[in-house]
């Protein structure tokens, strides 16, 4: 069909061109929007040019004032479309649209006029002046049928392509009307009242359609805004808000955010929030609300224990006139937290508690509570320390503090009992309450002395009323139960005198007093018991033994013993026994004190060898120890005298053989001195007659008790000389051994730890005084050597070893141990005869065993006629003991 139409069109164009040529003008027609290259007409042919002449004669098209969208093809001479043809652009709304063209031919030059008509096609859709049209219509107040003018659309095409019709998108509220007038006005008509709260904005589309085939359309959007009036009250999104907050929520915490909406606009939709009421009313100041945002925040503190549930009534109002209101409520549940510690209260307290109270005795009643709830309010209790008290639960929250162990006031007199309570919160809280429980005393402790045996040392000749020492008994009870009084129990001394005649005990202080002066030569040891009795009911008592050792003082000077005979090799004789007569004086005492003693005399023979015993001076001292340790010194003659005196033996020996030049008689002045402080002495004069051997033998025979005194004397001299050699060898070996042992012990004493002396009971010991006045004790028995003649005497040298502490001895708590009381010693001095010579050992306190060597050497070198006995003990501690006695 389109092919046939094209052929017909071409025929018409050829006919029209032939007509135009005949009149000198060619007319063509072409549709707008024809494709580039479309042949509009054959200009050369229509102008009567031969084929090929168009190019030779340079046929071309000349436009007149506007851009030509066609051109002449030089080869064919055809008029073709060279660019887009837009009728609306070329002619606008003019009809018809004809373009005048000039065709120029050279050789010869000719001008032809060509008219090109551009025909319209429906290539333009209707166009509204605006794409969106905004309208405002008040709700309810605008009545149905109201008309609102609209601007119509336009179409660039012409003819039927520009004939427009209008339609409106479906809606029940509006319709479109077109008024059939010259101006063809368009209106929007309201068909139904508007409700802004239902549809605040209506969006409609107006469509314009042209009459082309096919029809083209254009649209315009209508935005219809519904104007508001105050016809709606604010509405909350919830009528009841439920909120849970912990009670420890801080100030400013957001409780809730309420929201009320008002569908109205402007001031009609602006909502203001207020708290209308709070239950309980006392919590009005606890909450605050933001009038614009509706945020409710804490302004005070919550307390679950006071109020656990709050009710808040909230109202919202708009700004209309009159304002419209909306309401809601908030239920705030307070969540308990563990913010209360348990409380412990003492409802009853029964103190003091007797120390003899039985187990299970109720001491106090306690009440424990916690204001929190649930696990936070569940409380467990205990006591500290756990003994001797415990808790017994009676009812919920009620406890009894009971006694679980026996009490001892002397061990603990008062208890600080702490009752602790802890709840089950997380973290748990605790409470505590201190209860002071004092323990009342009963008389359940007897007085106890710090020592079972007290040792007291006192010098003889003490003043009457002098304090000897002090005993002290401890009674841990209090008040009258612990008040102690002391008394002396009678005990015989020596079987005939009681201790009460010598000493007394102060009932309050326990001081031991001397009632009279003590004499060592009369009483060496006083032993008695002291009883301590408390003032309890019934009274309890304890005993202790007191041993008072009387320490000897140097109050007796040495005294010379009468001689049994005289002569060479014998003892010095007295003047009453015969000899070369004359009475000699012996001076005894100290200072200017003098005492007449019998004359002393002896014989010696010419030619006697060195070391021959001429005489032996015998003296004793009523004192003991150092005070009775005697030493003999030759005062005159001094220098190269033919005689010497044994320092401790008193033996007078020849230092060399006697010669005639020595004279027939030698007068010796001998001093016997003890080791007391100050020392006492006695002075004796010994006359030695030097005679011939026969005369010496006769003198000996005259002074002896049997015949053959001279031969006996010679035998004794020979035996003495042999014995001296043997004993010298033995003594040197012994001294060497003792020296080595002393060196070893001294080394051990320098490295061994020093043990402290501990007081306590022990075996019987003996007491002596040192040369320097120190006193010590020993548990070892001494050995005593006594001579056959003279009064019996004990010379005791003692050192105290370490004693183990007495079993069950109670430690001092409040009072120090009296310093006057020493370690326990007991036992009588050595009975028997008095020794001829006592050698005191070196009592402790830093004296080393090396000090024994010179004394033993003196004994060895002193002569043949000596004897000794000793007991050796280690001296490596300050309290070591040793005893050596020689007689």
């Amino acid at each position: 069909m389109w092919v046939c139409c094209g052929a017909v069109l071409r025929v018409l164009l050829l006919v029209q061109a032939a007509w135009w040529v005949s009149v000198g003008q060619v007319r063509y027609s072409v549709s707008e929007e024809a494709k580039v290259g479309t042949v509009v007409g054959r200009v050369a042919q229509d102008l009567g040019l031969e084929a090929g002449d168009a190019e030779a004669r340079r046929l071309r098209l000349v436009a007149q004032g506007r851009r030509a969208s066609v051109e002449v093809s030089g080869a064919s001479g055809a008029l073709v479309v060279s660019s887009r043809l837009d009728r609306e652009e070329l002619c606008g709304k003019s009809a018809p649209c004809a373009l005048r063209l000039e065709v120029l031919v050279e050789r010869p030059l000719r001008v032809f006029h060509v008219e090109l008509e551009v025909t319209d096609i429906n290539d333009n859709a209707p166009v509204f002046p605006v794409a969106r049209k905004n309208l405002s219509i008040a709700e309810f107040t605008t009545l149905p049928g109201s008309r609102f003018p609209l601007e119509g659309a336009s179409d660039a095409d012409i003819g039927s392509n520009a004939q427009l019709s209008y339609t409106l998108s479906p809606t029940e509220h509006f319709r479109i009307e077109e008024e059939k007038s010259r101006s063809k006005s368009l209106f929007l008509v309201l068909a139904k009242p508007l409700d802004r709260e239902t549809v605040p904005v209506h969006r409609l589309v107006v469509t314009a359609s042209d009459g082309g085939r096919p029809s083209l359309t254009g649209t315009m959007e209508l935005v219809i805004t519904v104007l508001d009036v105050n016809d709606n009250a604010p509405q909350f999104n919830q009528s009841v808000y439920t909120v849970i907050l912990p009670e420890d929520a801080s100030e400013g915490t957001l409780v809730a955010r309420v929201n009320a909406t008002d569908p109205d606009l402007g001031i009609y939709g602006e909502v203001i929030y207020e708290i209308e009421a709070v239950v309980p009313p006392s919590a009005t100041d606890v909450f605050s609300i933001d009038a614009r945002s509706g945020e409710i925040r804490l302004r005070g503190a919550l307390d679950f224990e006071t109020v656990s549930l709050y009710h808040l009534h909230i109202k919202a109002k708009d700004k209309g006139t009159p304002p419209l209101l909306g309401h809601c409520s908030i239920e705030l549940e307070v969540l308990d937290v563990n913010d209360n510690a348990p409380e412990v209260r003492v409802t009853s307290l029964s103190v003091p508690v007797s120390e003899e109270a039985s187990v299970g005795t109720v001491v106090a009643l306690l009440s424990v509570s916690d204001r929190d709830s649930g696990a936070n309010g569940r409380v467990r209790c205990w006591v500290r320390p756990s003994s001797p008290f415990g808790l017994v639960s009676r009812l919920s929250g009620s406890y009894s503090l009971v006694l679980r162990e026996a009490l001892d006031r002397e061990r603990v007199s008062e208890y600080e009992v702490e009752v602790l309570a802890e709840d089950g919160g997380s973290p748990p809280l605790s409470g505590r309450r201190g209860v002071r429980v004092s323990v009342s005393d009963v008389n359940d402790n007897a007085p106890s002395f710090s020592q079972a045996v007290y040792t007291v040392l006192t010098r003889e000749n003490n003043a009457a009323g002098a304090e000897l020492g002090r005993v002290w008994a401890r009674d841990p009870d209090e008040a009258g139960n612990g008040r102690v009084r002391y008394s002396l129990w009678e005990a015989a001394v020596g079987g005939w005198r009681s201790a009460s005649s010598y000493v007394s005990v102060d009932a309050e202080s326990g001081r031991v007093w001397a009632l009279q002066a003590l004499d060592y030569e009369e009483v060496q040891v006083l032993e008695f018991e002291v009883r301590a009795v408390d003032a309890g009911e019934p009274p309890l008592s304890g005993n202790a033994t007191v041993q008072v050792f009387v320490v000897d003082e140097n109050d007796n000077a040495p005294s010379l013993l009468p001689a049994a005979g005289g002569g060479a090799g014998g003892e010095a004789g007295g003047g009453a026994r015969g000899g070369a007569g004359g009475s000699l004086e012996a001076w005894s005492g100290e200072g200017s004190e003098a005492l007449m003693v019998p004359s002393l005399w002896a014989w010696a023979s010419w030619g006697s060898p060195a070391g021959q015993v001429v005489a032996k001076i015998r003296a004793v001292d009523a004192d003991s120890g150092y005070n009775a340790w005697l030493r003999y010194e030759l005062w005159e003659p001094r220098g190269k005298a033919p005689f010497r005196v044994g320092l401790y033996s008193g033996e007078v020996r020849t230092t060399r053989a006697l010669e005639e030049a020595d004279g027939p008689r030698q007068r010796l002045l001998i001093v016997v001195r003890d080791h007391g402080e100050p020392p006492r002495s006695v002075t004796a004069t010994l006359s030695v007659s030097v005679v011939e051997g026969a005369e010496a033998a006769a003198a000996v025979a005259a002074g002896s008790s049997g015949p053959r005194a001279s031969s006996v004397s010679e035998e004794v001299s020979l035996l003495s000389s042999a014995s001296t050699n043997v004993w010298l060898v033995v003594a040197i070996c012994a001294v060497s051994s003792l020296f080595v042992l002393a060196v070893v012990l001294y080394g051990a004493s320098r490295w061994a730890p020093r043990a402290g002396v501990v007081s306590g009971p022990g075996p019987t010991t003996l007491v002596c005084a040192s040369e320097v006045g120190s006193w010590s004790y020993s548990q070892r028995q001494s050995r005593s050597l006594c001579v056959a003649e003279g009064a019996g005497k004990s010379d005791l040298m003692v050192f105290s070893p370490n004693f183990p502490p007495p079993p069950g001895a109670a430690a001092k708590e409040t009072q120090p141990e009296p310093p006057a009381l020493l370690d326990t010693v007991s036992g009588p001095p050595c009975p028997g005869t008095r020794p001829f010579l006592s050698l005191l050992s070196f009592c402790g306190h830093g004296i080393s065993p090396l000090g024994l060597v010179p004394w033993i050497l003196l004994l060895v070198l002193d002569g043949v006629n000596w004897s000794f006995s000793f007991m050796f003990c280690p001296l490596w501690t300050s309290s070591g003991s040793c005893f050596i006695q020689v007689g």
Side-chain angles (χ1 to χ4, degrees):
M1 181 179 177
W2 288 103
V3 174
C4 293
C5 291
V8 173
L9 182 58
R10 284 197 295 272
V11 171
L12 290 176
L13 290 174
L14 289 174
V15 173
Q16 186 178 10
W19 182 80
W20 280 104
V21 170
S22 63
V23 294
Q25 186 177 5
V26 179
R27 184 182 180 88
Y28 296 103
S29 177
V30 65
S31 300
E32 63 176 332
E33 305 295 341
K35 293 182 179 181
V36 175
T38 301
V39 177
V40 178
R42 299 188 179 275
V43 176
Q45 185 179 356
D46 292 339
L47 293 178
L49 299 177
E50 293 295 333
D53 289 345
E55 184 178 2
R57 298 181 63 178
R58 299 182 65 180
L59 179 66
R60 65 180 185 272
L61 183 65
V62 179
Q64 294 181 355
R66 64 176 65 180
R67 181 180 62 84
S69 298
V70 293
E71 63 181 11
V72 176
S73 174
S76 62
L79 184 65
V80 297
V81 177
S82 62
S83 62
R84 177 177 175 268
L85 284 174
D86 186 0
R87 192 200 69 81
E88 288 76 28
E89 180 182 354
L90 295 174
C91 301
K93 294 293 288 185
S94 299
C97 179
L99 301 179
R100 294 185 183 275
L101 307 174
E102 291 182 353
V103 178
L104 180 64
V105 178
E106 298 179 355
R107 302 172 186 173
L109 180 62
R110 293 184 62 183
V111 178
F112 297 95
H113 295 278
V114 178
E115 185 177 304
L116 180 61
E117 181 182 3
V118 181
T119 60
D120 181 49
I121 64 173
N122 192 22
D123 62 343
N124 291 283
V127 177
F128 284 93
V130 292
R132 177 184 294 177
K133 176 72 172 179
N134 293 321
L135 297 176
S136 295
I137 303 175
E139 62 174 337
F140 295 112
T141 58
T142 303
L143 299 177
S146 300
R147 302 174 74 188
F148 304 93
L150 301 176
E151 294 183 8
S154 61
D155 196 324
D157 296 327
I158 58 175
S160 62
N161 292 333
Q163 292 180 357
L164 302 178
S165 61
Y166 298 93
T167 59
L168 185 64
S169 59
T171 176
E172 62 178 349
H173 293 90
F174 298 93
R175 67 177 184 271
I176 195 79
E177 289 184 358
E178 186 179 1
E179 191 177 73
K180 301 299 182 179
S181 62
R182 181 176 295 180
S183 60
K184 293 184 179 180
S185 301
L186 190 63
F187 296 95
L188 182 66
V189 180
L190 180 63
K192 183 179 179 182
L194 300 177
D195 184 3
R196 195 203 66 81
E197 287 71 37
T198 303
V199 182
V201 177
H202 293 265
R203 297 183 180 274
L204 305 176
V205 177
V206 179
T207 305
S209 303
D210 59 20
R213 294 289 185 271
S215 177
L216 298 179
T217 61
T219 60
M220 177 181 65
E221 183 183 12
L222 291 178
V223 179
I224 303 169
T225 302
V226 182
L227 299 179
D228 184 43
V229 295
N230 193 24
D231 59 341
N232 292 282
Q235 295 292 326
F236 285 95
N237 55 358
Q238 293 177 236
S239 60
V240 178
Y241 293 82
T242 301
V243 180
I244 298 176
L245 277 181
E247 63 174 322
D248 61 349
S250 60
E251 184 177 346
T253 300
L254 179 65
V255 177
R257 181 182 288 106
V258 296
N259 184 30
T261 57
D262 192 327
D264 297 328
L265 294 179
I267 61 174
Y268 303 136
E270 292 184 12
V271 179
I272 298 175
Y273 301 95
E274 294 179 3
I275 298 177
E276 191 172 24
V278 178
V279 179
S282 59
T284 303
D285 296 335
V286 177
F287 304 96
S288 64
I289 189 170
D290 190 300
R292 293 190 176 276
S293 65
E295 291 183 349
I296 302 174
R297 295 184 179 273
L298 285 179
R299 194 168 63 181
L302 300 177
D303 187 4
F304 174 84
E305 290 72 35
T306 303
V307 180
S308 60
L309 184 64
Y310 294 89
H311 294 274
L312 285 77
H313 297 280
I314 310 299
K315 71 178 179 179
K317 64 180 180 178
D318 59 24
K319 293 184 178 180
T321 305
L324 300 180
L325 303 177
H327 297 87
C328 76
S329 63
I330 295 178
E331 291 184 354
L332 174 59
E333 180 182 353
V334 181
L335 185 65
D336 182 44
V337 296
N338 193 24
D339 60 341
N340 291 280
E343 296 180 0
V344 182
R345 294 183 298 275
V346 179
T347 58
S348 178
L349 181 63
S350 178
V351 292
V353 180
S354 173
E355 64 176 324
E356 62 181 359
S358 60
V359 174
T361 300
V362 177
V363 177
L365 299 179
L366 306 172
S367 174
V368 181
S369 62
D370 193 319
R371 297 179 61 198
D372 296 323
S373 61
N376 298 331
R378 287 195 293 271
V379 180
R380 64 186 186 94
C381 298
W382 69 95
V383 295
R384 188 170 58 192
S386 58
S387 61
F389 300 97
L391 286 179
V392 175
S393 177
R394 298 186 298 121
L395 297 173
S396 177
S398 181
Y399 295 87
S400 297
L401 181 65
V402 300
L403 190 63
R404 285 185 173 175
E405 298 177 5
L407 299 176
D408 184 2
R409 193 206 65 82
E410 288 70 40
R411 184 172 61 88
V412 180
S413 62
E414 187 175 77
Y415 292 89
E416 289 289 343
V417 182
E418 191 173 29
V419 181
L420 294 96
E422 185 178 78
D423 59 26
S426 181
L429 298 179
S430 61
R432 61 191 64 198
R433 180 64 181 270
V435 179
R436 178 174 295 180
V437 180
S438 56
V439 182
S440 61
D441 183 51
V442 296
N443 192 26
D444 57 344
N445 291 279
S448 174
F449 285 92
S450 58
Q451 299 174 216
V453 178
Y454 288 85
T455 299
V456 180
L457 297 180
T458 182
R459 294 179 180 271
E460 65 174 330
N461 303 320
N462 61 294
E467 181 179 345
L468 302 180
R470 179 183 177 185
V471 295
W472 181 75
R474 176 182 177 273
D475 192 327
D477 296 325
E478 65 178 355
N481 296 332
R483 191 165 54 250
V484 178
R485 294 183 62 85
Y486 304 91
S487 60
L488 179 67
W489 272 29
E490 292 296 332
V493 177
W496 61 277
R497 296 187 68 176
S498 64
S500 60
S501 62
Y502 290 95
V503 295
S504 67
V505 178
D506 186 84
E508 298 295 334
S509 64
R511 288 183 171 86
V512 180
W513 307 94
L515 297 179
Q516 60 178 340
L518 299 176
D519 186 3
Y520 176 83
E521 287 71 34
E522 178 185 349
V523 177
Q524 287 79 39
V525 180
L526 283 176
E527 182 171 339
F528 53 90
E529 285 191 355
V530 176
R531 167 173 286 190
V533 182
D534 61 26
E537 188 62 40
L540 301 178
S541 63
N543 297 328
T545 299
V546 179
Q547 294 177 339
V548 179
F549 289 87
V550 182
V551 180
D552 181 47
E553 285 191 341
N554 194 22
D555 58 345
N556 292 284
S559 61
L560 294 175
L561 296 178
E571 296 178 348
R577 307 278 305 209
S583 84
L584 301 179
E585 294 180 346
W587 299 89
S588 175
E590 183 179 6
S592 61
E593 181 182 357
L595 180 65
M596 294 294 293
V597 297
S599 300
L600 302 177
W601 49 269
W603 294 272
S605 61
W606 300 106
S608 297
Q612 176 69 44
V613 177
V614 176
K616 184 174 183 178
I617 305 300
R618 295 188 303 165
V620 295
D621 195 317
D623 298 321
S624 64
Y626 262 87
N627 297 328
W629 185 19
L630 303 180
R631 56 189 297 173
Y632 301 85
E633 299 177 4
L634 180 62
W635 275 26
E636 292 181 2
R638 297 179 181 273
K640 298 181 180 180
F643 299 97
R644 62 178 175 85
V645 178
L647 183 62
Y648 298 107
S649 63
E651 293 178 339
V652 180
R653 296 175 180 270
T654 58
T655 59
R656 56 181 170 79
L658 298 178
E659 301 175 355
E660 292 183 1
D662 293 329
R665 177 173 297 181
Q666 294 286 333
R667 182 175 180 274
L668 305 181
L669 184 63
I670 299 173
V671 176
V672 183
R673 181 182 291 108
D674 59 26
H675 284 72
E677 186 60 39
R680 294 178 177 271
S681 63
V682 62
T683 304
T685 301
L686 174 64
S687 295
V688 179
S689 298
V690 182
V691 296
E692 294 295 337
E695 295 178 3
V700 170
S704 64
S705 58
R708 298 181 64 188
S710 176
S711 61
V712 171
S713 176
E714 292 177 357
E715 291 177 1
V716 169
S717 177
L718 293 175
L719 290 176
S720 297
S721 177
S723 177
T724 299
N725 295 332
V726 174
W727 280 106
L728 283 175
V729 173
V730 174
I732 290 173
C733 295
V735 168
S736 300
S737 302
L738 291 176
F739 178 75
V740 173
L741 178 60
V743 171
V744 173
L745 295 180
Y746 178 74
S749 69
R750 301 297 294 177
W751 293 98
R754 297 181 180 271
V757 178
V758 182
S759 64
T764 301
T765 60
L766 302 175
V767 183
C768 74
S770 71
E771 185 177 8
V772 294
S774 60
W775 314 101
S776 53
Y777 324 97
S778 173
Q779 63 176 349
R780 304 177 184 272
Q781 282 188 338
S782 66
R783 299 178 58 187
S784 177
L785 181 65
C786 305
V787 298
E789 297 182 11
K793 182 69 177 179
S794 295
D795 298 325
L796 310 177
M797 285 66 71
V798 189
F799 298 87
S800 63
N802 295 332
F803 289 165
K812 308 293 187 300
E813 290 186 359
T814 57
Q815 299 186 17
E817 182 62 21
L821 300 182
L822 304 177
D823 295 336
T824 302
V825 296
S826 63
C830 176
T833 61
R834 300 180 181 270
F836 179 74
L837 177 64
S838 298
L839 176 61
L840 181 65
S841 70
F842 310 100
C843 298
H845 303 291
I847 303 300
S848 69
L850 295 176
L852 297 174
V853 175
W855 299 106
I856 296 176
L857 288 175
L858 288 175
L859 293 177
V860 172
L861 299 177
D862 193 39
V864 180
N865 189 17
W866 59 273
S867 64
F868 72 95
S869 65
F870 67 90
M871 176 174 60
F872 189 86
C873 65
L875 296 178
W876 53 80
T877 65
S878 61
S879 58
S881 62
C882 181
F883 170 71
I884 299 177
Q885 186 168 358
V886 178

